[in-house]
Amino acid sequence: MNVIETHNLVRKYGKTEAVHDLTISVPTGSVFALLGPNGAGKTTTIKVLMNLLTPTAGEARVLGVDSQKLGVNERRQIGYVSENQQLPLWMSVRQFLDYCRPWYPAWDRDLEKKLLGRFELPEERKLKHLSRGMLMKVALLSSLAYRPKLLILDEPFSGLDPFVRDEFVQGVLEVSEIGDWTVFISSHDIHEVEMLCDWVGILNAGRLQLAEPVEKLQARFRHIEVVLHEPIMPAVSPPEHWLCYEQAGSVIRFFEKDYSTGKTEVLCRERFPSAAVTAHPMSLREIFVALMRAQRVQNTEGAIK
Amino acid sequence: MKMIWHLVKKDLRAIWPLWLAWLGFIAVRIPLLLYYLNSAGEKALALMSLVCACALLADSLLVVSLVRSLVHEDALAGDKSFWVTRPITGVQLLVAKLASSLLVCVVSPLVLLLPTWFWFGFDEVEIGHVLTYHCLVNSGLVAVALLFAVVTRRGSSFWLVLLSSVVAVVILAIASSNWLIIDASRHARLAIVYAGLAVVLFGVVQQFIKRRTWIAQGSLGVGALITALLLPHWPGTREESPRGKLINQPLTITWNGVGAYFAKKEPKSSLPDYVKGRLEIALPKEYSRVDLQLLKGEWCDLKGNIDQADWVDPQGSPEEQSPTSSSVFQKVGQDVYICNALVSLSANWLWNKDQPWTHTGFSGRFRIRFIQTVTVADLKPIAGANARTGSFVTRLINVKSYKNAVKIAWIEAKAAGSSEGKTSVLDSTKAKVTERHNSWFSSAPLLWIRLEHHDSVFSSRGQEAGENKAGSRMVDDPTDLFAGGETHENLGELGWYFTTRVDQIVGYNDYDLKTDHIAIYKDGLP
């Protein structure tokens, strides 16, 4: 079963299309990272999922319910942390947790205490006197303590220093070990996300580039390096699944987005018969950058034509 | 319900500094009132009015600010509020916000005001009146603030939208009163008003439940537009309100005049009261007196007057009804009296010698003022009358004012003493009221009355006991009144007691004085 599903989701701001025809499925138990550059439509997607915005077209379902009809029962099973959320800053950490607790019958006082200790939050300090990192940790704590089935994190690492980011990630991982839950996280801080996620979706200019398990993604992406004996231009143009193809002297580099050991080797031998070909595995960050670069090149070529 | 209370408690904690400041402001007003009540001099009176006006303005702004803070604590506009992503329903929030607004802005001040009102000496009915006033006014402010708070997210945008809407409504209302002619019936206009209110209400409720801010803003805009356009044509205006209808109901005015008899070339000076007649006015029961005032006469100037002695007050006590004129006020229907007034019309003759003499009539316009006389018995001063300044403050609750057209006819001032539960009136007189101010203080409408020649009211009795000031004696202590030889040994307490009679001008209408009604005939009556 999928915790989140969208079908041909469209959201426009006036004439600007923030999300275009988005169809994704987030399976139960996964940690799904929605990656994309600034303005890709990640936050808009999450706002539609949380019924903070209405979709212009299409449908979004969360926990099996139309996002526009999310009720109390569903919200009790959803945790939401966003960099943009306005917390009641006049409250102290203690007051804030006291305020949140009655809304959730499944609130776990032990977990609350445990996370309070882990995050080293000063209970009596007012939220307005906390740093940004502390505030995010308070928000996370208030979203974890009732063990939600779905945790939605919208740009949680934005503006946090590396130490706090690490604490944040550790906090999420700790809870994820306790129960079967799903995390949907949007970010452009790929390094932190990489530690958490097992599924990834990449969004660019409102359009979904891909959505698949990280393992599968990393298996099919390779950074290929070809060293020619002589610096000559190959007569045949590269296939479409070779991204960011570039030649510098006798070295040719590109990203293979459809890598398989036999098939890629055959293609390389056909084009560069006597060259030395090496295939390097890619990190999520490298894949993301490769895709973004390829998209930019494609856009530039389209504009020239 | 438990969760609503949870929300209310949170809201109250959020705004308590402002709330406390407001209650403090109300608390400060009470001793301030007492200070002015016991202050002498006109400066105090002027200051009292100024303070009342400022207090009313500050009060309104504070109430609006409180409601704004309460609503913006969980803002409905925008998508960044904390509550939106939590298991809180719009209905819960709506009920919680209404409850906390009413609790803070309507109920909580009563803790301070109720004891004050009791101390003022208000009875149960008056407490009921002033409670209703307070609740209506503050609930109205809450409603207005709520409307604007639900469509904004921050204080700056709230005040901007509120002020610009007020300005826009005023401008549109002025334009509407000058250029818009609404020919619809009262029912149709009322239907539009109710429809506008329903649209606004729908906008607010859906904002809580669905948070479609543009719909709420549109609803508010439609409501404001309807208000602005219909405000000058409000169905409740004097002419169309139930009271206005009473005023406007056709009166039967007939003239049984006797024409003056004079010759064509008779000199002007020899035209004294040349016409006398009886004016019959069917007068609704509610009005016990009418005044006749001739506004304009064409062809000639007319002066008409009604001998006040010929008027009776059917609602007054038997002593107030003149035995000689009781016949002129006859009840002819359930609510209608016929007043047969003897009217003398004298002419300031603007003679046109070329006018034909036969069947020439006057024309003109006269005004009838309907006067309701209300006698407020035992109108007691709130904090004791100040004999030195001849003024006192009392409450103006039972007087039904209509468009503030209230005038105090006279005050009956009594010097009295009480002993063993019995009050003996030692002296009384009627004193003319020279000044009166309506003040809204401590959420209660008060009346500040100043008496003319108060110092001379009892001068004849007290002359021997004290010093004279400008020919009349200033009475500081009512016991002085009896220093002229009368004994008051058995009287425990002495004090001033006031009763007053309030004349209320309810409204007036102008009527054409047509030829059909008054006619002068050359040769006497045909």
Side-chain angles (χ1 to χ4, degrees):
Chain A
M1 185 198 164
N2 294 318
V3 176
I4 294 174
E5 281 180 341
T6 68
H7 299 286
N8 307 112
L9 188 70
V10 178
R11 170 67 204 195
K12 289 181 181 176
Y13 295 105
K15 289 182 180 176
T16 310
E17 207 170 46
V19 175
H20 175 80
D21 210 17
L22 179 69
T23 301
I24 50 169
S25 301
V26 178
T28 306
S30 64
V31 178
F32 191 105
L34 188 63
L35 305 178
N38 290 332
K42 304 184 295 295
T43 298
T44 301
T45 304
I46 284 182
K47 283 182 175 174
V48 171
L49 293 176
M50 289 300 294
N51 192 26
L52 300 177
L53 291 174
T54 46
T56 309
E59 186 193 24
R61 297 184 80 80
V62 179
L63 297 172
V65 176
D66 187 335
S67 68
Q68 292 186 75
K69 292 174 182 166
L70 284 178
V72 170
N73 287 335
E74 287 78 32
R75 290 204 186 278
R76 280 182 178 151
Q77 300 175 66
I78 301 173
Y80 174 78
V81 178
S82 167
E83 59 164 346
N84 296 317
Q85 201 168 23
Q86 287 174 340
L87 302 178
L89 298 179
W90 58 271
M91 288 185 188
S92 68
V93 175
R94 168 60 43 216
Q95 286 172 330
F96 179 65
L97 295 175
D98 288 345
Y99 171 62
C100 292
R101 202 177 299 119
W103 298 107
Y104 300 96
W107 189 279
D108 186 340
R109 290 294 291 260
D110 294 332
L111 182 59
E112 176 198 322
K113 280 180 191 167
K114 191 176 171 185
L115 290 170
L116 263 173
R118 163 172 275 286
F119 291 153
E120 294 176 340
L121 291 169
E123 288 186 49
E124 299 310 318
R125 195 177 298 174
K126 289 197 183 297
L127 298 188
K128 64 183 169 190
H129 297 139
L130 295 182
S131 65
R132 184 176 168 74
M134 289 268 202
L135 265 182
M136 290 301 282
K137 286 196 280 188
V138 172
L140 182 65
L141 194 161
S142 72
S143 299
L144 292 179
Y146 51 92
R147 300 176 186 280
K149 279 188 179 173
L150 171 65
L151 177 66
I152 295 180
L153 305 171
D154 183 16
E155 298 286 0
F157 309 111
S158 182
L160 303 187
D161 64 52
F163 182 68
V164 178
R165 284 178 185 209
D166 192 49
E167 275 190 314
F168 201 93
V169 171
Q170 291 306 319
V172 175
L173 287 174
E174 188 164 317
V175 179
S176 68
E177 289 165 6
I178 297 169
D180 185 23
W181 71 338
T182 308
V183 180
F184 187 77
I185 180 167
S186 88
S187 182
H188 53 258
D189 297 297
I190 301 159
H191 179 68
E192 276 73 19
V193 168
E194 201 169 9
M195 294 195 288
L196 286 169
C197 68
D198 48 22
W199 271 73
V200 68
I202 293 179
L203 203 59
N204 189 26
R207 290 159 200 268
L208 188 71
Q209 306 293 307
L210 57 87
E212 60 192 90
V214 175
E215 206 174 307
K216 189 179 162 193
L217 182 72
Q218 287 182 321
R220 74 178 175 91
F221 266 82
R222 282 295 183 274
H223 182 195
I224 308 290
E225 197 172 83
V226 180
V227 181
L228 304 170
H229 291 301
E230 292 172 18
I232 50 161
M233 290 288 286
V236 189
S237 60
E240 277 186 4
H241 48 86
W242 289 6
L243 307 176
C244 304
Y245 182 89
E246 55 189 18
Q247 182 173 1
S250 58
V251 180
I252 293 171
R253 290 189 186 90
F254 60 89
F255 302 111
E256 168 62 282
K257 74 168 185 178
D258 201 10
Y259 179 80
S260 71
T261 316
K263 192 180 155 191
T264 307
E265 277 178 5
V266 170
L267 280 172
C268 286
R269 295 276 168 247
E270 282 174 4
R271 283 167 174 75
F272 324 111
S274 56
V277 178
T278 48
H280 304 283
M282 294 172 72
S283 68
L284 194 56
R285 185 177 180 282
E286 287 170 322
I287 295 169
F288 176 75
V289 171
L291 282 169
M292 291 303 109
R293 276 179 57 195
Q295 184 72 46
R296 191 179 296 172
V297 169
Q298 198 178 341
N299 290 346
T300 312
E301 285 172 355
I304 291 167
K305 282 174 189 173
Chain B
M1 205 61 202
K2 193 178 159 191
M3 297 321 291
I4 289 171
W5 178 235
H6 185 59
L7 272 171
V8 170
K9 278 193 294 184
K10 188 266 293 179
D11 285 347
L12 298 187
R13 276 208 303 269
I15 57 136
W16 74 265
L18 188 60
W19 186 17
L20 206 65
W22 181 50
L23 291 180
F25 174 72
I26 292 171
V28 165
R29 276 160 49 193
I30 294 164
L32 202 65
L33 168 68
L34 299 182
Y35 168 75
Y36 284 118
L37 283 176
N38 294 297
S39 295
E42 289 178 9
K43 200 178 262 184
L45 190 66
L47 266 175
M48 168 102 171
S49 299
L50 186 67
V51 168
C52 281
C54 292
L56 197 62
L57 183 68
D59 219 23
S60 309
L61 288 176
L62 279 165
V63 169
V64 171
S65 295
L66 275 166
V67 176
R68 182 206 72 75
S69 303
L70 281 169
V71 175
H72 284 181
E73 178 59 23
D74 297 296
L76 290 140
D79 50 25
K80 294 178 179 172
S81 293
F82 175 72
W83 77 272
V84 183
T85 58
R86 300 283 161 165
I88 302 170
T89 64
V91 175
Q92 279 175 326
L93 197 73
L94 172 64
V95 176
K97 294 299 170 191
L98 278 176
S100 49
S101 297
L102 293 176
L103 189 67
V104 169
C105 300
V106 181
V107 178
S108 74
L110 292 177
V111 177
L112 293 164
L113 293 173
L114 267 175
T116 316
W117 294 338
F118 278 115
W119 186 79
F120 281 176
F122 293 172
D123 59 25
E124 297 82 9
V125 177
E126 288 170 331
I127 293 277
H129 271 287
V130 77
L131 198 65
T132 311
Y133 269 129
H134 166 81
C135 291
L136 283 178
V137 169
N138 282 23
S139 301
L141 286 170
V142 166
V144 170
L146 199 70
L147 292 181
F148 288 91
V150 297
V151 296
T152 53
R153 197 152 55 90
R154 280 189 293 269
S156 52
S157 52
F158 170 82
W159 288 111
L160 188 71
V161 171
L162 178 64
L163 291 176
S164 50
S165 298
V166 168
V167 171
V169 164
V170 169
I171 291 171
L172 276 171
I174 291 169
S176 166
S177 74
N178 286 329
W179 294 299
L180 188 69
I181 297 165
I182 296 178
D183 213 13
S185 68
R186 180 168 187 263
H187 287 299
R189 272 179 279 167
L190 268 176
I192 295 171
V193 170
Y194 289 141
L197 284 174
V199 167
V200 172
L201 196 65
F202 162 76
V204 171
V205 173
Q206 79 79 33
Q207 176 71 340
F208 273 95
I209 293 168
K210 298 217 169 211
R211 288 181 300 103
R212 307 284 180 256
T213 303
W214 63 272
I215 295 179
Q217 286 169 339
S219 308
L220 192 59
V222 169
L225 191 68
I226 289 174
T227 308
L229 295 179
L230 279 182
L231 203 61
H233 315 277
W234 193 252
T237 51
R238 189 180 68 187
E239 289 73 20
E240 291 183 85
S241 66
R243 186 179 283 265
K245 274 189 172 173
L246 196 64
I247 293 167
N248 266 353
Q249 66 180 270
L251 301 178
T252 311
I253 302 174
T254 54
W255 175 260
N256 299 317
V258 181
Y261 186 73
F262 47 83
K264 188 176 183 181
K265 290 179 181 177
E266 202 166 357
K268 180 182 168 186
S269 58
S270 62
L271 288 171
D273 299 339
Y274 60 92
V275 60
K276 286 188 176 181
R278 194 167 285 278
L279 188 67
E280 289 182 357
I281 301 170
L283 188 71
K285 180 177 80 171
E286 188 176 337
Y287 311 110
S288 51
R289 239 176 67 211
V290 292
D291 278 352
L292 182 71
Q293 178 191 1
L294 208 59
L295 297 176
K296 181 187 165 192
E298 286 177 11
W299 198 64
C300 61
D301 280 346
L302 292 173
K303 285 179 184 172
N305 61 68
I306 299 171
D307 183 358
Q308 293 293 324
D310 282 345
W311 293 86
V312 293
D313 182 355
Q315 294 170 331
S317 60
E319 303 89 66
E320 285 177 305
Q321 296 190 8
S322 164
T324 57
S325 59
S326 58
S327 60
V328 300
F329 223 157
Q330 295 165 355
K331 185 172 182 178
V332 294
Q334 191 180 354
D335 289 333
V336 178
Y337 289 79
I338 290 283
C339 174
N340 296 305
L342 193 64
V343 179
S344 301
L345 300 173
S346 60
N348 181 14
W349 206 235
L350 302 172
W351 186 248
N352 184 349
K353 290 180 180 175
D354 297 330
Q355 281 287 334
W357 272 105
T358 52
H359 205 268
T360 298
F362 294 104
S363 64
R365 197 168 179 81
F366 66 100
R367 170 175 292 179
I368 294 177
R369 292 195 302 172
F370 304 90
I371 298 177
Q372 183 186 20
T373 301
V374 182
T375 301
V376 183
D378 297 327
L379 196 66
K380 291 173 189 167
I382 283 171
N386 192 323
R388 187 178 289 279
T389 60
S391 64
F392 74 93
V393 174
T394 186
R395 51 206 188 273
L396 181 62
I397 294 172
N398 282 329
V399 180
K400 293 174 194 167
S401 70
Y402 184 76
K403 287 194 179 286
N404 295 321
V406 179
K407 69 172 186 179
I408 305 296
W410 44 264
I411 298 283
E412 186 175 14
K414 297 174 183 174
S418 64
S419 176
E420 296 171 354
K422 288 184 179 178
T423 301
S424 306
V425 176
L426 304 174
D427 204 346
S428 70
T429 187
K430 290 178 182 176
K432 190 181 172 189
V433 175
T434 54
E435 280 184 73
R436 51 160 286 273
H437 297 268
N438 289 342
S439 296
W440 186 273
F441 223 120
S442 295
S443 301
L446 300 177
L447 187 65
W448 183 296
I449 298 170
R450 202 168 165 81
L451 306 175
E452 189 181 64
H453 304 306
H454 182 260
D455 51 352
S456 62
V457 165
F458 298 104
S459 59
S460 60
R461 304 292 301 276
Q463 261 176 353
E464 298 164 31
E467 58 179 307
N468 283 326
K469 277 188 182 175
S472 63
R473 188 175 129 59
M474 178 68 86
V475 181
D476 289 340
D477 182 352
T479 55
D480 288 350
L481 296 169
F482 315 107
E486 290 185 28
T487 175
H488 52 276
E489 287 171 5
N490 296 326
L491 293 174
E493 291 178 17
L494 283 166
W496 292 102
Y497 292 85
F498 294 88
T499 57
T500 187
R501 184 184 169 104
V502 179
D503 273 3
Q504 183 176 15
I505 301 170
V506 177
Y508 58 79
N509 274 347
D510 295 343
Y511 292 92
D512 285 328
L513 186 67
K514 292 175 185 170
T515 310
D516 293 348
H517 293 148
I518 301 174
I520 300 173
Y521 301 99
K522 181 182 175 184
D523 301 317
L525 290 170

